[in-house]
Amino acid sequence: MSVQERKQRERAERERLIVATARELAEQQGWDAVTTRRLAERIEYSQPVLYSHFRGKREIIGAVAVEGAAEMAVTVRAAASGANSPRERVTALARAYLDFAARNPAVYDALFRLDGGLAFAQENTPEPLKDAFAALLETLGEVAGDGVDPGQFTEVFWASLHGLATLTRAGRLPPEDTEPRVELLVERLAIV
């Protein structure tokens, strides 16, 4: 291995450590606790080293969002692939999405609430974000219905899931009623 390859590998490892540490800190204490100073202390590198990877917290949030989008895509695809009918796939997707949001609140915030400097629904949208949407579209597109644009149907269904996730997490909806909400959403919106 050349010196340059080793340095590139070490740089990539440091970047992964920064992102993992930021994510861990945000999950434990919230995004307000994530500062470059605190990250530098936790990973035992100087703040200038952090700034050599990310220009600031915004870019770190974006990196967590990109990582989280990839994980979400895997999660919803796995859930949907284990189901036998369109209705079961949509129900499994909805449950997996809401479970992902509940289990990973800091990642969910990085994806959908905080400014990570990422473009959404544009040509320059990072591939993992596009893939997360594609993972939803793969299942939801098949139940959009005649004459309904599958992309728009997916957006509306996704917005409904996002609303349920956000309102439940904020304590506006009781979590014990999540399953009946999923059933209602699937029955009324994804008429399958």
Side-chain angles (χ1 to χ4, degrees), residues 44-57:
E44 298 178 348
Y45 283 102
S46 67
Q47 284 182 296
V49 170
L50 257 83
Y51 285 116
S52 74
H53 290 274
F54 300 100
R55 286 181 284 196
K57 183 176 175 177

Side-chain angles (χ1 to χ4, degrees), residues 28 33 37 47 59 66 82 100 108-109 114 130-131 145 155 166 172 174 179 188:
Q28 291 171 352
R37 178 185 208 130
Q47 284 182 296
E59 284 189 5
V66 167
F100 181 89
Y108 197 80
D109 284 348
L114 301 173
K130 290 178 182 179
D131 189 50
E155 290 169 348
T166 302
R172 304 297 194 266
E179 188 58 30
R188 298 298 177 161

Side-chain angles (χ1 to χ4, degrees), residues 85-106:
S85 69
R87 181 184 185 94
E88 288 176 9
R89 281 189 288 282
V90 173
T91 302
L93 175 144
R95 287 178 184 142
Y97 182 97
L98 293 172
D99 184 57
F100 181 89
R103 284 185 298 107
N104 304 283

Side-chain angles (χ1 to χ4, degrees), residues 1-186:
M1 174 182 299
S2 73
V3 172
Q4 184 175 352
E5 289 173 330
R6 181 182 53 78
K7 285 183 179 186
Q8 287 174 339
R9 188 185 76 236
E10 288 171 355
R11 180 174 176 75
E13 288 172 6
R14 269 194 315 272
E15 194 165 298
R16 281 191 295 275
L17 178 61
I18 293 166
V19 172
T21 303
R23 181 176 173 168
E24 179 183 321
L25 187 56
E27 291 292 0
Q28 291 171 352
Q29 300 177 30
W31 278 104
D32 288 341
V34 179
T35 63
T36 54
R37 178 185 208 130
R38 188 172 280 159
L39 284 174
E41 289 171 2
R42 283 219 175 175
I43 65 171
E44 298 178 348
Y45 283 102
S46 67
Q47 284 182 296
V49 170
L50 257 83
Y51 285 116
S52 74
H53 290 274
F54 300 100
R55 286 181 284 196
K57 183 176 175 177
R58 181 179 186 217
E59 284 189 5
I60 294 169
I61 290 169
V64 170
V66 167
E67 185 178 276
E71 292 171 15
M72 182 184 294
V74 168
T75 298
V76 298
R77 280 189 177 110
S81 72
N84 296 319
S85 69
R87 181 184 185 94
E88 288 176 9
R89 281 189 288 282
V90 173
T91 302
L93 175 144
R95 287 178 184 142
Y97 182 97
L98 293 172
D99 184 57
F100 181 89
R103 284 185 298 107
N104 304 283
V107 172
Y108 197 80
D109 284 348
L111 273 164
F112 302 120
R113 192 179 68 80
L114 301 173
D115 178 9
L118 303 173
F120 284 82
Q122 297 175 21
E123 200 169 297
N124 63 337
T125 298
E127 286 305 315
L129 299 179
K130 290 178 182 179
D131 189 50
F133 184 78
L136 298 173
L137 180 62
E138 289 162 11
T139 295
L140 296 170
E142 73 175 308
V143 299
D146 294 336
V148 177
D149 177 85
Q152 288 180 347
F153 178 78
T154 300
E155 290 169 348
V156 170
F157 197 93
W158 172 32
S160 299
L161 289 174
H162 176 69
L164 290 174
T166 302
L167 291 170
T168 300
R169 185 164 153 221
R172 304 297 194 266
L173 297 175
E176 62 272 9
D177 292 335
T178 297
E179 188 58 30
R181 287 190 200 97
V182 166
E183 291 297 325
L184 182 62
L185 181 62
V186 171

